[in-house]
Amino acid sequence: MDIPAIGDAEELSCDVLVIGGGTAGTMAALTAAEHGAGVLLLEKAHVRHSGALAMGMDGVNNAVVPGRAEPDDYVAEITRANDGIVDQSTVRQTATRGFAMVQRLESYGVKFEKDEHGEYAVRQVHRSGSYVLPMPEGKDVKKVLYRQLRRREMRERIRIENRVMPVRVLTSPEDGRAIGAVGFNTRTGAFVTVRAGAVILATGPCGRLGLPASGYLYGTYENPTNAGDGYAMAYHAGAALTGIECFQINPLIKDYNGPACAYVANPFGGYQVNRHGERFVDSDYWSGQMMAEFAAELASDRGPVYLKLSHLPEESVASLESILHTTERPTRGTFHAGRGHDYRTHDIEMHISEIGLCGGHSASGVRVDDHARTTVPRLYAAGDLASVPHNYMIGAFVFGDLAGADAAGYTAYEGELPAGQVAAAHELIYRPLRNPEGPPQPQVEYKLRRFVNDYVAPPKTGAKLSLAVAAFDRMTGEIAEMGATTAHELMRCAEVSFIRDCAEMAARSSLARTESRWGLYHERLDHPERDDTGWLHHLDLRKSASGAMEFTARPVEPYLVPVDGFAPAGGPSRHLGEVALVPVATAGPRQSPPAGRGEGPGAPGSAGSAPAAVERLPAERAGDASPRILELLALAEESPGLDLLRPYLDDPDPAVRAAAVAALGETVPAGAGPALADRLADGAPAVRAAAAAALRELVEVLPGGPELAAGLRAALAVPDAVVRSAALEALRALRLGGAELYAASLADADPEVRIHAVRALVSVDAVPALAAAAADPAREVRVAVAKGLAAVRDPAPAPLDPLLADADPLVRGAALGALASVGCPDGYAHTAVAALADAAWQVRAGAAAGLSAAAPEAAVPALAKALADANADVRKAAVLSLLAHRGSAEARTALATAVTDPDADVRAYAARA
């Protein structure tokens, strides 16, 4: 392609420029528009399916739901997890605003798991506090957000430019404030300039920093489209970045670029073990210390490490497969099948991910205050790009909202754009076209990221980090020589320049912090101790006037929430300047100069020395599609009414009808609920499945009128069990049914439908009908009944009697565990104490849990004996019940013995006492 002239640039103008259409970016755009600003949203891919969120989300890691968690407790947890290096005012924004954001997302149609009474089903995964809120339809979050962006009132204020990639933020020569950006179209190569009143960076983490063990450039733990774009743009605009030495490292499935998902598996009873089947993680799950323990176990003779699921019952395994093979990674099931592995017979081998930079999962990002403002006026950062430690998805939404609200007060810049900055950005974008035969981007990027693995990944040393800096300096020239011939290749070449910037920042920041902190995230072998006296500081970096990276040690401000073990005093910052490299020994002086080395491809150190397996990506192949479907997709972009969608819903082709149902779920026009209910009776299974999925996704936002109620009731007679389950779920959630209707479904032939009937009966507190279901022939239904009898508003133990005597140990275990909620008076306490001798560990664990509600004099002696049980889960249940009785001296004595238990979970929970 030809290089466009600077003067031919397409110039765009807006009040608020949002760069990045993922989690934080979409929320920033929506909020800025709601505040009256004219918004331009730039996305280098397509907003409909861009960002990490487009891959799906199984749940929220940090939901501070009233009644289940307190904001101050969450702030303290994050402070401890980040070894004290926290600006608590930013973390507190997530803690105090997160629940309102959950409700806002729910009003959009995002579905969070709730119990039968409509309360949020928050689960405890961390050792202290309940913050994890599952999302049953989490794969559709991005679709829901895109639907909001395409609402008519939003389209009037938000202009979306897909396939436009900014490479530099423009700043005013007079006062340094952000005034726009420069980029290009990733399909046509057209040059684009933007003038703006304020700029919000929401480009995600730097997920393509380290190289995965597979060697595949895009096989990263994080979304591989996140190449550190925003980190580099913020740095070159003069903003301060902080915590860049605190890497993101995660446990993942070995040889597969997906998380091991202990977060998901833990509530079902899954956990991490070594090769002996022992739990070994003492620290909490969101700390770098956990990763240090993980790495140590992996390197010991107790490795490999596994995610253990094989001990779980079929119902739990099937539920986990549904989540892990759809919402988390659709290819995950294929990966396991290719290896002949099944969760029922094989535990999942785990390993350690490559390193990355991510504020949302560790702490490395652009420095922001509690309104998402960076140190550059009118420049904002939100989401994984911003340094708000362990902010996760809800924090990204919160800071996107804060940025959008604050930036909306500015209007478009009207002066001349700085010619020098525009010209420099133009050169960065198009220089590969001047050298089309130069080294291709995959080879250069492979080499760059191998250096990251070799010299920057923990454990770190000053010598290796100094070698890294030298390598990245040298590669500046190699990156400038990369060749490209298409706009797509230009995008990839620009990304390599961002990765190089992030790699240098990571290496120099790691050199500057001369201590070890955050467990594996910043482990310095040459400075192995944590130094709170000298280093209870943020480490800020910025670009100096000379173009060098310079550093400042900024003391942590006094806490809003006191945390034991840390006492920051604030005070003045300590300017460190440029970091000094560590001398690296060589082979010594030579008597004569070394012989010259050959030039050209394949010579040591050249880009051509990368493995031949790294090749250019194949071109995308266009798939075939029905003209009616293409017509429908184009129509859906305009958010049509039901009248325009109706012909497609009634089309003779089932594929068109299924696509119309999907469009209906995406646009949600008036009357969508009854129309979806009508499609539940469609003759084609794919259409019925699409309608059932759409109803589940939209149940929180559909008005529950009589027409919808009639359609859902009629669907209970459809032969398809998937339809009947979806209809029951919608009737329950929308409060459109009663006990008699739900009880009739207890006779359904499909166990899954009967489980939905049980949940529906719980929602109306129909205890007699629930008690009748205790004789159901399916074990999983009886387990659901036991849990349901504990969830009604006025629970009592008597209806559990037949389940406590059930022949199946899983049912007895569930019934005994339910005593913790319904109460455990003397007679039932005697039953639970006797059950502690049962042959099945599930029964013993349930009995130990139930005794938490018994009188201390009956429960504590039995629970103390249970601490010697051979099964770790029984001992863990006993510890948790003893915590409920810790007012008893005997309970405290028993807990004191458990702090040396061989199982890490037992030790950790006992230590809480």
Side-chain angles (χ1 to χ4, degrees), residues 706-751:
E707 189 180 358
L708 176 56
L712 293 173
R713 287 170 181 261
L716 295 176
V718 173
D720 190 335
V722 171
V723 167
R724 299 196 302 276
S725 292
L728 277 170
E729 188 174 344
L731 285 164
R732 173 184 61 79
L734 294 169
R735 301 292 190 265
L736 295 176
E740 185 177 353
L741 176 70
Y742 300 147
S745 291
L746 289 174
D748 196 281
D750 188 89

Side-chain angles (χ1 to χ4, degrees), residues 230-249:
Y231 287 77
M233 283 190 279
Y235 171 74
H236 288 290
L241 294 93
T242 192
I244 303 299
E245 71 279 17
C246 179
F247 298 161
Q248 177 190 14
I249 309 173

